[in-house]
Amino acid sequence: TRDAIRDGLTKITVRAGWRNTEMHTVFQGSVFSAVSERSGADIVTRISALPGYGALQRGVSSRTFPQGTPVRDVVADLARDLPNLTVAGSGIEGVEGVINSGGWSFAGSTREALTQLATEYGFSWHVDDGSFRALGDTAAFGRFVELSGDGGGLISVTPSLSGPAQLRRGVKIKAVYIPGLAPGGRVGVKSAVSPTLDGTYRVHTMRISTESHAEAWLMAVETWGRGCLRRSEQ
């Protein structure tokens, strides 16, 4: 089994659920490293994987787009150069604007092409469960989850502060694991302890812990910059 896992770009899917619910996919991607070591009487294998790792490694693009081409169309065309990924219109949200004067050209890694385009035209992109996704800087998609401190799954919400002036650059949210929430989605917060942080936020990063022997499954959500889409009191 250990040798099979190490066999080039092995696909891995992690699913989780409860006895009274269906199973939900937590992660799907390709293995890029697997290290085995002895731990007492056992041999423990630690696996590192990335979503779409194989596609991102193999994708190559050589494209030229004329002035006036919708950026959304450029993104979709480039994404189709990533092998074995699903590219659907529903996975590209809030990507606006058109290619500026002079057009836009690129030859090389598709991953680098998308990142360069994202920097120039204000969006982010990622791969999730075998699907390509791109999201405008002011947009959101995916499931909306509401968290509250009165039995609604919220454990804590704290500001992310930086610099001598302690400027708030976002918030950190800790809650019980709720299937379906993913980067780009929206999470509502209603806290009895920190009501000034109540609001609806766009998820930028997530860390999910679904250890089989843990007392509880948890998720840690972080938002950056203008992560708050609206204040709940407005």
Side-chain angles (χ1 to χ4, degrees), residues 10 16 38 90 103 163 216:
T10 300
R38 183 168 293 282
S90 59

Side-chain angles (χ1 to χ4, degrees), residues 97-110:
V98 298
I99 297 299
N100 297 330
S101 60
W104 193 87
S105 298
F106 187 90
S109 165
T110 304

Side-chain angles (χ1 to χ4, degrees), residues 147-163:
L147 302 171
S148 64
D150 54 353
L154 179 67
I155 297 175
S156 66
V157 56
T158 57
S160 297
L161 305 175
S162 64

Side-chain angles (χ1 to χ4, degrees), residues 8-81:
L9 300 178
T10 300
K11 293 183 179 179
I12 183 172
T13 299
V14 179
R15 308 183 73 205
W18 293 265
R19 290 182 179 178
N20 60 342
T21 68
E22 63 183 25
M23 298 287 283
H24 296 270
T25 298
V26 178
F27 174 85
Q28 181 175 323
S30 300
V31 175
F32 72 91
S33 74
V35 178
S36 299
E37 60 184 0
R38 183 168 293 282
S39 177
D42 300 320
I43 296 178
V44 177
T45 301
R46 300 184 184 278
I47 300 172
S48 297
L50 289 174
Y53 178 66
L56 298 179
Q57 289 294 100
R58 295 192 297 264
V60 176
S61 298
S62 180
R63 301 294 190 99
T64 297
F65 300 93
Q67 174 184 343
T69 305
V71 176
R72 181 187 181 93
D73 293 347
V74 177
V75 172
D77 283 349
L78 289 172
R80 293 188 185 99
D81 289 336

Side-chain angles (χ1 to χ4, degrees), residues 137-186:
D137 287 349
T138 59
F141 57 39
R143 181 181 177 186
F144 171 75
V145 171
E146 187 164 9
L147 302 171
S148 64
D150 54 353
L154 179 67
I155 297 175
S156 66
V157 56
T158 57
S160 297
L161 305 175
S162 64
Q166 293 292 277
L167 299 176
R168 196 179 96 183
R169 65 180 185 88
V171 298
K172 296 180 179 179
I173 302 165
K174 186 176 181 181
V176 298
Y177 167 60
I178 298 179
L181 186 63
R186 297 172 299 131

